[in-house]
Amino acid sequence: MLSLFKRLQQTTWGNLLILAFVTALILGGLWLVSRDSDDSPAGASEDPSSTEEAGQVSEVEVSESNDAAPEIGQPAPEFTARTLEGETVDIADLDKPVWITFNATWCSNCRAEMPDIQKAVDEWGEDIDIVSVYIQDSPTSVATYVNTLGLTGKQIVDDSDKIGSLYRVAGVPSHYFIGEDGTLRGIDVGVLSPDTMEQRVRELID
């Protein structure tokens, strides 16, 4: 094969044949690369860090509850807990619509949407109770997290996963929207955009 190439190189036609052969190899390689790219799943992100935009969640495992799973249109599961400041929160006694957001300090997606949740607290805090429940976390970690991000509103540490189990939380962030009458109005799993947050709140207060 090598001697054949040497002989071809000695003639003009031989050089043209070698050039055509090399060009065909290059074009074939480009076609294979293009085909592999076209076979990629539709909408696949080239940036693995863009999980917030994709609305991805961090999976969690909580113990099973004997109570009925929460259903939209049915009374929301009731619980009583204490905030970081020591305030007692009884879901059954709150006289406003309630937005419960389940999250965790170790969840990057949760952290990404926290500034928008804080804006919702600042804007609609008088019309709706926004309760942040941290599952599989410690009071120390949550206190540091809350202070670092400058979060207000009701911050609850669910270190025993009791509340997370009651609401059948399988991933964080997860959002539960409860009407003033105690009825569960909506459930969203994953990162919410500011527009979606506003829509959910207005559905509760309008």
Side-chain angles (χ1 to χ4, degrees):
M1 184 71 174
L2 184 61
S3 60
L4 176 61
F5 268 85
K6 287 182 178 179
R7 274 180 271 155
L8 288 173
Q9 285 178 329
Q10 294 173 358
T11 66
T12 301
W13 282 106
N15 284 330
L16 288 174
L17 285 173
I18 292 173
L19 180 61
F21 179 75
V22 171
T23 301
L25 285 177
I26 293 173
L27 291 175
L30 291 174
W31 177 80
L32 287 174
V33 170
S34 175
R35 187 186 66 174
D36 289 342
S37 176
D38 290 340
D39 289 341
S40 299
S45 172
E46 295 180 359
D47 181 6
S49 67
S50 61
T51 54
E52 290 82 10
E53 294 182 3
Q56 294 185 2
V57 300
S58 299
E59 293 184 3
V60 294
E61 291 186 11
V62 297
S63 58
E64 294 185 4
S65 172
N66 294 326
D67 297 297
E71 283 185 51
I72 295 176
Q74 298 296 319
E78 298 177 359
F79 65 86
T80 301
R82 287 189 178 276
T83 67
L84 284 175
E85 292 77 20
E87 175 191 357
T88 299
V89 174
D90 188 338
I91 293 297
D93 287 343
L94 295 178
D95 57 358
K96 303 177 186 176
V98 180
W99 168 8
I100 302 175
T101 169
F102 286 94
N103 49 81
T105 62
W106 43 264
C107 166
S108 59
N109 289 316
C110 303
R111 189 184 184 99
E113 72 173 2
M114 268 302 173
D116 293 322
I117 292 178
Q118 181 57 45
K119 288 180 182 178
V121 173
D122 295 338
E123 186 169 353
W124 295 299
E126 294 185 0
D127 302 312
I128 182 173
D129 277 311
I130 300 178
V131 181
S132 295
V133 179
Y134 298 82
I135 63 177
Q136 299 180 358
D137 249 318
S138 69
T140 302
S141 297
V142 174
T144 300
Y145 182 83
V146 168
N147 290 333
T148 299
L149 297 183
L151 304 178
T152 59
K154 296 175 171 61
Q155 312 288 329
I156 294 173
V157 182
D158 184 26
D159 50 4
S160 64
D161 289 345
K162 180 179 178 181
I163 305 173
S165 175
L166 191 63
Y167 277 79
R168 301 292 203 282
V169 176
V172 289
S174 288
H175 307 269
Y176 294 77
F177 298 91
I178 305 170
E180 191 173 350
D181 61 354
T183 300
L184 184 61
R185 300 286 183 82
I187 302 173
D188 286 295
V189 179
V191 176
L192 299 184
S193 68
D195 287 343
T196 301
M197 291 181 185
E198 180 175 357
Q199 179 184 344
R200 296 291 184 265
V201 171
R202 293 200 178 280
E203 288 172 351
L204 292 179
I205 65 179
D206 289 345

